Amino acid sequence: MEFDHPARHTLDNLGQLERELAQGPISLRRAIPIAGQLTSHAHPSARNVIALLRDNARHSDILAHAAKLARCDETVRRYFQLEAFPRAQLERFYQPEGFIFLRKGSGSRKLLVIFTTMFNNFHFSNAVMAAMLGRLDCNLLFLKDGTLFNYHRGVAGFADSLPAIGPAIGRLAHSTGSDRIYMTGFSSCGYAALYTALTSPCHGYLGFSQPTDMRAGSPLEPPLYFTPDVRAAVDPAHLVDLKPLLEADDPAMLRTFVYAERNEHDASHVLHVADVPHVQAIALPGASHSTVEELGATDAIVPMFARLIAG
């Protein structure tokens, strides 16, 4: 069950986006999704498409969206510029399967594990996130699953099932001298990230707009792409309500969840666990699903992860 979407972060899709820009002027309607995609890549053309929106749109929501994208563009390009990065080295970041381990030159004993989404990003591209999080004193491990299974069948070349991911992280951490492990997930990958954080050693967790209860018959809706066909193809033993695991978790380990207050689906999943004493739930009042984009507009991503690994 491969996942295919034009907004997925692959070099082929990025090339298609660039060819579309090269063909000439784009419509205002088309500029809305393209501006967001370009910003997520830290692409140099993002500012031109954002300007098209700002100068031609009349609807207040579109103008507000353009203003937010302009702030995001300014932020991400302080950390990373796509055009300045060697193209041959982009393949490892845009390959939608497998894993990337980035060792901190200072010899840090901390490991931050980033579960990437079905779109092969963390809203922003993996290369952008590596540049941002590379400012922190920790090693980085990017995990990727480019299928509709959302890590329930593991990570290619790393682990062959969801419950095998935690032990695989532990082995890598041990082999690289990391004795403090932190994890993060966003959207489609959030359930697998939190499941792993609660079933293997994890000293801090930060989740964005994510599911917390995937059991059959749950009153909470599953993610958009987690269809009955996908559910039928994965082990039901690992589709559970994670609240009991959170309640039994070490209360010294803070688990933080950021959610969009306007998004009923995201809010319901976080509010489901928000009464657990050692859970911190952070609502972003003006955000839609992409809380990571919202935080990018205020350059709040790196400070939030800095607080995560401080524990």
Side-chain angles (χ1 to χ4, degrees), residues 49-124:
V49 182
I50 293 169
L52 187 155
L53 290 176
R54 184 188 61 227
D55 297 341
N56 294 279
R58 296 294 178 264
H59 197 287
S60 60
D61 287 349
I62 298 177
L63 291 171
H65 182 60
K68 179 173 67 176
L69 289 179
R71 295 192 299 271
C72 278
D73 180 62
E74 181 180 355
T75 294
V76 297
R77 287 183 62 80
R78 282 201 295 269
Y79 296 95
F80 179 83
Q81 299 85 39
L82 181 66
E83 72 277 14
F85 197 80
R87 202 73 171 187
Q89 295 182 29
L90 284 179
E91 178 64 33
R92 67 191 302 219
F93 291 104
Y94 280 83
Q95 168 57 243
E97 301 283 351
F99 66 98
I100 303 171
F101 176 69
L102 302 173
R103 187 189 294 273
K104 188 70 176 179
S106 62
S108 174
R109 299 185 66 85
K110 296 181 178 182
L111 174 65
L112 173 58
V113 184
I114 304 102
F115 285 71
T116 63
T117 74
M118 298 165 64
F119 287 83
N120 189 31
N121 59 24
F122 206 86
H123 178 80
F124 298 111

Side-chain angles (χ1 to χ4, degrees), residues 128-259:
V128 169
M129 292 301 295
M132 284 185 169
L133 301 178
R135 302 290 184 94
L136 303 176
D137 185 24
C138 61
N139 303 308
L140 302 176
L141 174 62
F142 286 82
L143 299 181
K144 306 178 179 192
D145 177 19
T147 73
L148 291 168
F149 296 124
N150 283 320
Y151 297 93
H152 282 272
R153 292 194 175 181
V155 178
F158 188 78
D160 60 7
S161 67
L162 177 57
I165 293 175
I169 291 171
R171 290 191 295 272
L172 185 144
H174 178 75
S175 70
T176 57
S178 301
D179 52 19
R180 302 284 291 180
I181 300 172
Y182 307 86
M183 299 184 194
T184 186
F186 164 51
S187 189
S188 63
C189 64
Y191 176 86
L194 181 59
Y195 178 97
T196 304
L198 295 173
T199 56
S200 61
C202 177
H203 300 89
Y205 180 80
L206 179 57
F208 301 89
S209 305
Q210 69 157 89
T212 59
D213 181 0
M214 293 286 284
R215 63 195 151 134
S218 169
L220 305 180
E221 291 185 7
L224 175 63
Y225 294 104
F226 201 81
T227 63
D229 286 345
V230 176
R231 180 181 291 276
V234 302
D235 190 340
H238 308 132
L239 294 170
V240 300
D241 179 3
L242 294 176
K243 185 173 184 177
L245 290 177
L246 273 167
E247 291 172 331
D249 195 25
D250 184 349
M253 302 300 176
L254 184 65
R255 311 305 189 186
T256 299
F257 300 88
V258 181
Y259 69 98

